[in-house]
Amino acid sequence: MNSRKPSIHFKIFYVLFICYALVAPDRMFAQDFKFFNGRKAQTIGFDLKKSLIIIPIYINDKGPFDFILDTGVNPMIITDTTLKESLKVPYPRAIKISGYGNFEGIDAFLGATSVKIGDAEAENIPTVFLKDDILPISGFVGKKIYGLIGYNFFNSFVVKVDYTSRVMRFSSHPKKIKLKGEKIPLELIDNKPYVKLRVEQEGLAPQTLKVLVDCGASHAISLEALDAKPFPKPQLTMEANLGNGLTGRVKGRIGRVALLGFGNFTFKDVISSYPEYNIDSLSNRGRNANLGAEILSRFNTIYDYQNRYMYIKKNEKFKRPFEHDMSGIELYAESGPPSRTFINKIEPESAADLVGLKEGDEIISINFKKIDDYSLDDIGAIFKAKNGYSVIVEVWRDKAFIIKLLKLKKRI
């Protein structure tokens, strides 16, 4: 049994943020979504995995395909390498995608597709097809994902995301809509939304930061740059694999900020990522940080790109504590049938390392409940439940079943 997989426990942000360096799509491609059946608005359900919004879409009259809806994406990105041929995309042109630290670039194709979301349709959407399967998003979220879509959809409607009910309502701009929540100014740069945040951190004066709003990033906040230098870290941090991008692993550290202010709302003791990038990459980025879904999902949110505002109203998840994984286990899920879940990485000196769990172990059960009864989100919640909490993990290794008693250990 060859269960070893490439390291893919990435925050979705790190996939996308390198993709932002894509060639700018030709203006002739850009098209808006429209209703052609007399509708002015529509409500559809979405799936929520790792706090990421997953919606079904149709491409060139085929589908449905599950895509991550992401405010940080432009153009649409198809990560499933089999779709380019099956969708019969006319005349895609070969391009190179540049990533930080990668001077040769990544091979991809740029084309145009017709896309349908609910009853809304758009033609000639600029679409990037990755040539190689280098972004295994499906293993991260535990569900087959074909790609990511963002700007063209958000720019076409007023979009309300209700994380509590897991429904999304999108309305044409001429329609009068009651916009509820605190009004936050948006700045669109390169078709991506930015807001101002307040951050207080140990050893640093209070800062007002310019941050990318990225609902396709699973983290809370990623602090990248300050005064064209890497963002200062608090005294207590730990080394972490922050994700995989087009150029490989993104290394860095995880710590906490004492306070994060978003509009009139404040969060305390927030888990924060500090990625390592070279100085040139930081100085050219034009932002300080990336605000992800671990914060955004605590609000029911309305995006109004046309008028340059977003609206936030706290929901039932608002007071959920910020905790990092206490097991030291990085998971990879293979879609089935049968579905299988593997240990992809073990953090040194973590709870899992101390009891002898190993990379490549296939998880069979947790607390005597078979693994098929859990989603990756369920497992994640168990592994960061409480410092000192005991978890019984059964794995398959070398043609034998092994049971380990894992005692969770808070590391940050």
Side-chain angles (χ1 to χ4, degrees):
M1 180 187 306
N2 183 11
S3 60
R4 186 76 178 105
K5 296 290 180 184
S7 180
I8 51 78
H9 179 76
F10 49 80
K11 303 299 184 183
I12 292 294
F13 154 64
Y14 294 107
V15 175
L16 303 186
F17 138 53
I18 297 176
C19 291
Y20 298 152
L22 292 168
V23 61
D26 296 337
R27 289 185 179 273
M28 67 178 181
F29 279 149
Q31 295 290 330
D32 291 334
F33 284 83
K34 297 178 182 179
F35 292 115
F36 292 98
N37 57 0
R39 275 186 178 274
K40 297 296 183 182
Q42 186 173 14
T43 300
I44 64 173
F46 62 81
D47 200 1
L48 197 64
K49 302 287 188 184
K50 305 282 186 177
S51 297
L52 306 177
I53 303 162
I54 301 172
I55 61 170
I57 75 172
Y58 289 81
I59 307 173
N60 291 355
D61 296 321
K62 294 184 177 182
F65 304 108
D66 281 331
F67 268 59
I68 291 173
L69 184 67
D70 186 358
T71 47
V73 165
N74 177 52
M76 186 169 83
I77 301 168
I78 292 182
T79 56
D80 188 293
T81 58
T82 66
L83 281 192
K84 184 172 72 72
E85 297 303 326
S86 63
L87 293 175
K88 296 180 169 44
V89 179
Y91 309 114
R93 75 172 187 260
I95 60 172
K96 288 281 188 180
I97 302 172
S98 297
Y100 297 112
N102 186 302
F103 301 101
E104 295 182 359
I106 304 299
D107 291 320
F109 300 92
L110 179 64
T113 59
S114 63
V115 179
K116 185 177 180 181
I117 299 176
D119 290 333
E121 301 178 52
E123 296 182 353
N124 297 321
I125 291 291
T127 305
V128 169
F129 298 82
L130 300 184
K131 182 178 179 181
D132 298 314
D133 185 15
I134 55 177
L135 300 179
I137 299 174
S138 302
F140 172 72
V141 301
K143 182 174 185 174
K144 177 64 176 177
I145 300 296
Y146 291 86
L148 312 106
I149 187 168
Y151 170 75
N152 291 93
F153 180 74
F154 282 102
N155 192 54
S156 302
F157 301 108
V158 176
V159 181
K160 179 180 179 180
V161 177
D162 188 328
Y163 284 97
T164 303
S165 302
R166 299 190 182 186
V167 296
M168 176 179 69
R169 183 169 179 82
F170 44 104
S171 309
S172 299
H173 287 279
K175 180 178 173 61
K176 291 185 178 180
I177 307 163
K178 292 183 179 180
L179 302 177
K180 297 181 180 180
E182 183 178 347
K183 189 176 182 179
I184 307 290
L186 283 183
E187 182 180 5
L188 287 185
I189 302 174
D190 295 330
N191 298 333
K192 294 179 283 290
Y194 289 76
V195 296
K196 295 294 181 64
L197 288 186
R198 305 179 310 282
V199 168
E200 295 181 14
Q201 179 180 285
E202 175 193 14
L204 185 68
Q207 300 289 325
T208 298
L209 305 179
K210 181 178 182 179
V211 305
L212 173 66
V213 178
D214 191 352
C215 66
S218 62
H219 57 244
I221 184 76
S222 177
L223 296 168
E224 303 166 2
L226 187 65
D227 299 325
K229 297 179 181 178
F231 203 95
K233 303 176 187 64
Q235 184 174 1
L236 178 61
T237 63
M238 65 177 233
E239 187 176 355
N241 171 29
L242 301 181
N244 275 22
L246 298 180
T247 55
R249 279 198 179 204
V250 177
K251 297 180 180 179
R253 302 191 72 83
I254 288 178
R256 290 182 183 265
V257 295
L259 183 143
L260 185 152
F262 185 21
N264 290 320
F265 298 97
T266 57
F267 298 96
K268 295 181 179 179
D269 208 22
V270 178
I271 294 285
S272 180
S273 302
Y274 300 85
E276 294 179 3
Y277 296 116
N278 62 58
I279 298 299
D280 290 338
S281 296
L282 292 168
S283 61
N284 293 333
R285 197 156 334 143
R287 69 170 187 251
N288 302 112
N290 178 292
L291 181 69
E294 181 60 26
I295 293 288
L296 294 170
S297 64
R298 295 163 190 258
F299 300 92
N300 292 333
T301 307
I302 299 172
Y303 297 95
D304 184 358
Y305 277 24
Q306 293 293 318
N307 293 305
R308 303 295 194 268
Y309 289 104
M310 66 181 295
Y311 298 79
I312 56 175
K313 184 177 181 180
K314 67 179 181 180
N315 61 32
E316 61 185 15
K317 298 180 180 180
F318 184 80
K319 293 184 178 180
R320 183 178 60 197
F322 293 91
E323 292 295 355
H324 186 60
D325 166 71
M326 300 182 195
S327 71
I329 295 174
E330 181 180 291
L331 295 176
Y332 176 88
E334 281 188 351
S335 56
S339 60
R340 303 168 73 187
T341 303
F342 297 96
I343 295 178
N344 193 62
K345 190 175 185 299
I346 297 287
E347 293 291 341
E349 300 183 6
S350 65
D353 188 31
L354 293 176
V355 299
L357 288 170
K358 296 183 179 181
E359 297 176 5
D361 286 349
E362 180 179 358
I363 296 183
I364 304 301
S365 70
I366 295 176
N367 291 337
F368 300 111
K369 186 177 177 181
K370 63 182 181 180
I371 196 67
D372 289 345
D373 292 337
Y374 295 99
S375 68
L376 287 185
D377 281 355
D378 295 333
I379 300 171
I382 292 172
F383 284 168
K384 56 183 179 182
K386 186 178 180 181
N387 186 46
Y389 183 73
S390 295
V391 181
I392 299 170
V393 180
E394 181 184 14
V395 301
W396 174 260
R397 181 199 304 165
D398 297 331
K399 300 181 180 181
F401 292 103
I402 301 171
I403 294 178
K404 298 288 187 179
L405 179 61
L406 182 70
K407 192 168 185 179
L408 299 184
K409 179 182 177 183
K410 187 169 182 174
R411 296 177 290 158
I412 192 68

Coordinates of all heavy atoms in Angstrom, one line a residue, residues 214-281:
D214 N -10.1 37.7 1.6 CA -9.9 36.5 0.9 C -10.7 35.4 1.5 O -10.2 34.7 2.4 CB -8.5 36.2 0.8 CG -8.2 35.0 -0.1 OD1 -9.1 34.4 -0.7 OD2 -7.0 34.8 -0.4
C215 N -12.0 35.2 1.1 CA -12.8 34.2 1.7 C -12.4 32.8 1.3 O -13.0 31.8 1.7 CB -14.3 34.5 1.5 SG -14.8 34.3 -0.3
G216 N -11.5 32.7 0.4 CA -10.9 31.4 -0.1 C -9.7 31.0 0.7 O -9.0 30.1 0.3
A217 N -9.4 31.8 1.8 CA -8.2 31.4 2.6 C -8.8 30.9 3.9 O -9.6 31.5 4.6 CB -7.4 32.7 2.9
S218 N -8.3 29.8 4.4 CA -8.9 29.1 5.6 C -8.3 29.7 6.9 O -8.9 29.5 7.9 CB -8.6 27.6 5.5 OG -7.3 27.3 5.5
H219 N -7.3 30.5 6.8 CA -6.7 31.0 8.1 C -7.5 32.2 8.6 O -8.4 32.6 7.9 CB -5.3 31.4 7.9 CG -5.1 32.4 6.8 ND1 -4.4 32.1 5.6 CD2 -5.5 33.7 6.6 CE1 -4.4 33.2 4.8 NE2 -5.1 34.1 5.4
A220 N -7.1 32.7 9.7 CA -7.7 33.9 10.3 C -7.1 35.2 9.7 O -7.7 35.9 8.9 CB -7.6 34.0 11.8
I221 N -5.8 35.3 9.9 CA -5.1 36.5 9.4 C -3.6 36.0 9.1 O -3.0 35.3 9.9 CB -5.0 37.7 10.4 CG1 -4.4 38.9 9.8 CG2 -4.4 37.3 11.7 CD1 -5.2 39.7 8.9
S222 N -3.1 36.4 8.0 CA -1.7 36.2 7.6 C -1.0 37.5 7.5 O -1.4 38.3 6.6 CB -1.6 35.4 6.3 OG -0.3 35.3 5.9
L223 N -0.1 37.8 8.4 CA 0.6 39.0 8.4 C 1.9 38.9 7.6 O 2.8 38.1 8.0 CB 0.9 39.4 9.9 CG -0.4 39.7 10.7 CD1 0.0 39.8 12.2 CD2 -1.0 41.0 10.3
E224 N 2.0 39.7 6.6 CA 3.0 39.5 5.6 C 4.1 40.6 5.6 O 5.3 40.2 5.6 CB 2.4 39.5 4.2 CG 1.3 38.4 4.0 CD 0.5 38.6 2.8 OE1 0.8 39.6 2.0 OE2 -0.4 37.9 2.6
A225 N 3.7 41.8 5.6 CA 4.7 42.9 5.4 C 4.4 44.1 6.2 O 3.2 44.4 6.4 CB 4.9 43.3 3.9
L226 N 5.4 44.8 6.6 CA 5.2 46.1 7.3 C 6.4 47.0 6.9 O 7.6 46.6 7.1 CB 5.2 46.0 8.8 CG 4.8 47.2 9.6 CD1 3.4 47.7 9.3 CD2 4.9 47.0 11.1
D227 N 6.2 48.1 6.3 CA 7.2 49.0 5.8 C 8.2 48.3 4.9 O 9.4 48.4 5.0 CB 8.0 49.6 7.0 CG 7.1 50.4 7.9 OD1 6.2 51.1 7.4 OD2 7.3 50.4 9.1
A228 N 7.6 47.5 4.0 CA 8.4 46.7 3.0 C 9.4 45.7 3.6 O 10.3 45.3 2.9 CB 9.1 47.7 2.0
K229 N 9.1 45.3 4.8 CA 9.9 44.3 5.4 C 9.0 43.2 6.0 O 7.8 43.4 6.1 CB 10.8 44.9 6.6 CG 11.8 45.9 6.1 CD 12.5 46.5 7.4 CE 13.5 47.6 6.9 NZ 14.2 48.2 8.1
P230 N 9.5 42.0 6.2 CA 8.7 41.0 6.8 C 8.0 41.5 8.1 O 8.6 42.2 8.9 CB 9.6 39.8 7.1 CG 10.7 40.0 6.1 CD 10.9 41.5 5.9
F231 N 6.7 41.1 8.3 CA 6.0 41.6 9.4 C 6.7 41.1 10.7 O 7.0 39.9 10.8 CB 4.6 41.1 9.4 CG 3.6 41.9 10.2 CD1 2.9 43.0 9.5 CD2 3.4 41.7 11.5 CE1 2.0 43.8 10.3 CE2 2.6 42.5 12.3 CZ 1.9 43.6 11.6
P232 N 6.9 42.0 11.7 CA 7.5 41.5 12.9 C 6.7 40.5 13.6 O 5.4 40.5 13.6 CB 7.5 42.8 13.8 CG 7.4 43.9 12.8 CD 6.6 43.4 11.7
K233 N 7.4 39.5 14.3 CA 6.7 38.4 15.0 C 6.7 38.7 16.5 O 7.6 39.3 17.0 CB 7.4 37.1 14.7 CG 7.5 36.8 13.2 CD 8.4 35.5 13.0 CE 8.6 35.2 11.6 NZ 9.5 36.3 11.0
P234 N 5.7 38.2 17.2 CA 5.7 38.2 18.6 C 6.8 37.3 19.2 O 7.3 36.5 18.4 CB 4.3 37.8 19.0 CG 3.8 36.9 17.9 CD 4.5 37.5 16.7
Q235 N 7.0 37.4 20.4 CA 8.1 36.5 21.0 C 7.8 35.1 20.9 O 8.7 34.2 20.6 CB 8.3 36.9 22.5 CG 9.5 36.2 23.1 CD 9.8 36.7 24.5 OE1 9.2 37.6 25.0 NE2 10.8 36.2 25.1
L236 N 6.5 34.7 21.2 CA 6.2 33.3 21.2 C 5.6 32.9 19.8 O 4.5 33.3 19.5 CB 5.1 33.0 22.3 CG 4.6 31.5 22.3 CD1 5.8 30.6 22.6 CD2 3.5 31.4 23.4
T237 N 6.3 32.1 19.0 CA 5.8 31.6 17.8 C 6.3 30.2 17.6 O 7.2 29.7 18.4 CB 6.3 32.4 16.5 OG1 7.7 32.3 16.4 CG2 5.9 33.8 16.6
M238 N 5.7 29.4 16.7 CA 6.2 28.1 16.4 C 6.3 27.9 14.9 O 5.6 28.5 14.1 CB 5.3 27.0 17.0 CG 3.9 27.0 16.4 SD 3.0 25.6 17.1 CE 2.4 24.8 15.6
E239 N 7.3 27.1 14.5 CA 7.5 26.8 13.1 C 6.4 26.0 12.5 O 5.8 25.2 13.2 CB 8.8 26.1 12.9 CG 9.2 25.9 11.4 CD 10.6 25.2 11.2 OE1 11.2 25.0 12.3 OE2 10.9 24.9 10.1
A240 N 5.9 26.3 11.3 CA 4.8 25.6 10.7 C 4.9 25.6 9.2 O 5.5 26.5 8.6 CB 3.5 26.4 11.1
N241 N 4.3 24.6 8.6 CA 4.1 24.5 7.2 C 2.8 25.3 6.9 O 1.7 24.8 7.2 CB 3.9 23.1 6.7 CG 3.5 23.0 5.3 OD1 3.8 23.9 4.5 ND2 2.8 21.9 4.9
L242 N 2.9 26.5 6.4 CA 1.7 27.3 6.2 C 1.0 27.0 4.9 O -0.1 27.6 4.7 CB 2.2 28.8 6.1 CG 2.9 29.3 7.4 CD1 3.2 30.8 7.3 CD2 2.0 29.0 8.6
G243 N 1.5 26.1 4.1 CA 0.7 25.8 2.9 C 1.6 25.4 1.7 O 2.8 25.5 1.8
N244 N 1.0 25.0 0.7 CA 1.7 24.7 -0.6 C 1.1 25.6 -1.7 O -0.1 25.8 -1.8 CB 1.4 23.2 -1.0 CG 2.4 22.3 -0.4 OD1 3.0 22.6 0.7 ND2 2.6 21.1 -1.0
G245 N 2.0 26.1 -2.5 CA 1.6 26.9 -3.6 C 2.2 26.4 -4.9 O 2.8 25.3 -4.9
L246 N 2.2 27.2 -5.9 CA 2.7 26.7 -7.2 C 4.2 26.4 -7.2 O 4.7 25.7 -8.0 CB 2.4 27.8 -8.3 CG 0.9 28.0 -8.5 CD1 0.8 29.1 -9.6 CD2 0.2 26.8 -8.9
T247 N 4.9 27.1 -6.2 CA 6.4 26.9 -6.2 C 6.8 26.0 -5.0 O 8.0 26.0 -4.7 CB 7.1 28.3 -6.1 OG1 6.5 29.0 -4.9 CG2 6.8 29.1 -7.3
G248 N 5.9 25.3 -4.4 CA 6.2 24.4 -3.3 C 5.7 24.9 -2.0 O 4.8 25.7 -1.9
R249 N 6.3 24.4 -0.9 CA 5.9 24.7 0.4 C 6.1 26.2 0.7 O 7.2 26.8 0.4 CB 6.7 23.9 1.4 CG 6.1 22.5 1.6 CD 6.6 21.9 2.9 NE 6.0 20.6 3.1 CZ 5.9 20.0 4.2 NH1 6.3 20.6 5.3 NH2 5.4 18.8 4.3
V250 N 5.2 26.8 1.5 CA 5.4 28.1 2.0 C 5.7 27.9 3.5 O 4.9 27.5 4.3 CB 4.1 29.0 1.9 CG1 4.3 30.3 2.5 CG2 3.8 29.2 0.4
K251 N 6.9 28.2 3.9 CA 7.3 28.1 5.3 C 7.0 29.4 6.0 O 6.8 30.4 5.5 CB 8.8 27.7 5.3 CG 9.2 26.4 4.7 CD 10.7 26.2 4.8 CE 11.0 24.8 4.1 NZ 12.5 24.6 4.2
G252 N 7.0 29.2 7.3 CA 6.8 30.4 8.2 C 6.6 30.0 9.6 O 6.9 28.8 10.0
R253 N 5.9 30.9 10.4 CA 5.7 30.6 11.8 C 4.2 31.0 12.1 O 3.6 31.7 11.3 CB 6.6 31.4 12.7 CG 8.1 31.0 12.4 CD 9.0 31.6 13.4 NE 9.0 30.9 14.7 CZ 9.6 29.7 14.9 NH1 10.4 29.1 14.0 NH2 9.5 29.2 16.1
I254 N 3.7 30.5 13.2 CA 2.4 30.8 13.7 C 2.5 31.4 15.1 O 3.3 30.9 15.9 CB 1.5 29.5 13.7 CG1 1.1 29.1 12.3 CG2 0.2 29.8 14.5 CD1 0.3 27.9 12.2
G255 N 1.8 32.4 15.3 CA 1.8 33.1 16.6 C 0.4 33.6 16.9 O -0.6 33.1 16.4
R256 N 0.3 34.6 17.7 CA -1.0 35.2 18.0 C -0.9 36.7 18.1 O 0.2 37.2 18.5 CB -1.5 34.7 19.4 CG -2.0 33.3 19.4 CD -2.6 32.9 20.7 NE -2.9 31.4 20.8 CZ -4.2 31.0 20.6 NH1 -5.1 31.8 20.3 NH2 -4.4 29.7 20.6
V257 N -1.9 37.4 17.6 CA -2.0 38.9 17.8 C -2.9 39.1 19.0 O -3.9 38.4 19.2 CB -2.5 39.6 16.6 CG1 -1.4 39.5 15.5 CG2 -3.8 39.1 16.1
A258 N -2.6 40.1 19.8 CA -3.4 40.4 21.0 C -4.8 40.9 20.7 O -5.8 40.5 21.3 CB -2.7 41.4 21.9
L259 N -4.9 41.7 19.6 CA -6.2 42.2 19.2 C -6.2 42.5 17.7 O -5.3 42.9 17.1 CB -6.5 43.5 20.0 CG -7.8 44.2 19.7 CD1 -8.3 44.9 21.0 CD2 -7.7 45.3 18.6
L260 N -7.4 42.1 17.1 CA -7.6 42.4 15.7 C -9.0 43.1 15.6 O -10.0 42.7 16.1 CB -7.7 41.1 14.9 CG -7.8 41.2 13.4 CD1 -7.1 40.0 12.7 CD2 -9.3 41.3 12.9
G261 N -8.9 44.3 15.0 CA -10.1 45.1 14.9 C -10.6 45.2 13.5 O -9.9 45.6 12.6
F262 N -11.9 44.8 13.2 CA -12.5 44.8 11.9 C -13.8 45.6 12.0 O -14.7 45.1 12.6 CB -12.8 43.3 11.5 CG -13.3 43.1 10.1 CD1 -13.1 44.1 9.1 CD2 -14.0 42.0 9.7 CE1 -13.6 43.9 7.8 CE2 -14.4 41.8 8.5 CZ -14.2 42.8 7.5
G263 N -13.8 46.8 11.4 CA -14.9 47.7 11.6 C -15.0 48.0 13.1 O -13.9 48.3 13.8
N264 N -16.1 47.9 13.7 CA -16.3 48.1 15.1 C -16.2 46.9 16.0 O -16.5 46.9 17.2 CB -17.7 48.8 15.4 CG -17.7 50.2 14.9 OD1 -16.7 51.0 15.1 ND2 -18.8 50.6 14.3
F265 N -15.9 45.8 15.3 CA -15.7 44.5 16.0 C -14.3 44.2 16.4 O -13.4 44.6 15.6 CB -16.3 43.3 15.1 CG -17.7 43.4 14.8 CD1 -18.1 44.0 13.6 CD2 -18.7 43.0 15.7 CE1 -19.5 44.1 13.3 CE2 -20.0 43.1 15.4 CZ -20.4 43.6 14.2
T266 N -14.1 43.6 17.5 CA -12.7 43.2 17.9 C -12.6 41.8 18.3 O -13.6 41.2 18.8 CB -12.2 44.1 19.1 OG1 -13.1 43.9 20.2 CG2 -12.2 45.6 18.7
F267 N -11.5 41.2 18.0 CA -11.2 39.8 18.4 C -9.9 39.8 19.2 O -8.9 40.6 18.9 CB -11.0 38.9 17.1 CG -12.2 38.8 16.3 CD1 -12.3 39.6 15.1 CD2 -13.2 37.9 16.5 CE1 -13.4 39.5 14.3 CE2 -14.3 37.8 15.7 CZ -14.4 38.6 14.6
K268 N -9.8 39.0 20.2 CA -8.6 38.9 21.0 C -7.9 37.6 20.8 O -8.5 36.5 20.6 CB -9.0 39.1 22.5 CG -9.5 40.5 22.8 CD -9.8 40.7 24.3 CE -10.4 42.1 24.6 NZ -10.7 42.2 26.0
D269 N -6.6 37.6 21.0 CA -5.7 36.4 21.0 C -6.0 35.6 19.7 O -6.2 34.4 19.8 CB -6.1 35.6 22.2 CG -4.9 34.7 22.7 OD1 -3.8 35.0 22.4 OD2 -5.2 33.7 23.4
V270 N -5.8 36.2 18.6 CA -6.1 35.6 17.3 C -4.9 34.9 16.7 O -3.8 35.4 16.7 CB -6.5 36.7 16.3 CG1 -6.8 36.0 14.9 CG2 -7.8 37.4 16.8
I271 N -5.1 33.6 16.3 CA -4.0 32.9 15.6 C -3.6 33.6 14.4 O -4.5 34.0 13.5 CB -4.5 31.5 15.3 CG1 -4.7 30.6 16.6 CG2 -3.5 30.7 14.4 CD1 -3.5 30.2 17.3
S272 N -2.3 33.8 14.2 CA -1.8 34.5 13.0 C -0.7 33.8 12.4 O 0.2 33.2 13.0 CB -1.4 35.9 13.4 OG -0.9 36.7 12.3
S273 N -0.6 33.9 11.0 CA 0.5 33.2 10.3 C 1.5 34.3 9.9 O 1.1 35.5 9.6 CB -0.1 32.6 9.0 OG -1.0 31.6 9.3
Y274 N 2.7 33.9 9.8 CA 3.8 34.8 9.4 C 4.6 34.1 8.3 O 5.6 33.4 8.6 CB 4.7 35.2 10.6 CG 4.0 35.9 11.7 CD1 3.3 35.1 12.7 CD2 3.9 37.3 11.8 CE1 2.6 35.7 13.7 CE2 3.2 37.9 12.8 CZ 2.5 37.1 13.8 OH 1.8 37.7 14.8
P275 N 4.2 34.2 7.1 CA 4.9 33.5 6.0 C 6.3 34.1 5.7 O 6.5 35.3 5.9 CB 4.0 33.7 4.8 CG 3.2 34.9 5.1 CD 3.1 35.0 6.6
E276 N 7.2 33.3 5.2 CA 8.5 33.7 4.8 C 8.6 34.0 3.3 O 8.3 33.1 2.5 CB 9.6 32.7 5.2 CG 9.7 32.4 6.7 CD 10.8 31.3 6.9 OE1 11.4 30.8 6.0 OE2 10.9 31.0 8.1
Y277 N 8.8 35.2 2.9 CA 9.0 35.6 1.5 C 10.2 36.5 1.4 O 10.7 37.1 2.4 CB 7.8 36.3 1.0 CG 6.5 35.5 1.0 CD1 5.4 35.8 1.7 CD2 6.5 34.3 0.2 CE1 4.3 35.0 1.7 CE2 5.4 33.5 0.2 CZ 4.3 33.9 0.9 OH 3.2 33.1 0.9
N278 N 10.8 36.6 0.2 CA 11.9 37.5 0.1 C 11.4 38.9 0.0 O 10.3 39.2 -0.2 CB 12.7 37.1 -1.2 CG 11.9 37.3 -2.5 OD1 11.4 38.4 -2.8 ND2 11.8 36.2 -3.3
I279 N 12.4 39.8 0.3 CA 12.0 41.2 0.4 C 11.4 41.8 -0.8 O 10.5 42.6 -0.8 CB 13.3 42.0 0.8 CG1 13.9 41.5 2.2 CG2 13.0 43.5 0.9 CD1 12.9 41.7 3.3
D280 N 11.9 41.4 -2.0 CA 11.4 41.9 -3.3 C 9.9 41.6 -3.4 O 9.1 42.4 -3.8 CB 12.2 41.4 -4.5 CG 13.6 42.0 -4.5 OD1 13.8 43.0 -3.9 OD2 14.4 41.3 -5.1
S281 N 9.5 40.4 -3.1 CA 8.1 40.0 -3.1 C 7.3 40.8 -2.2 O 6.2 41.2 -2.6 CB 8.0 38.5 -2.8 OG 8.7 37.7 -3.7

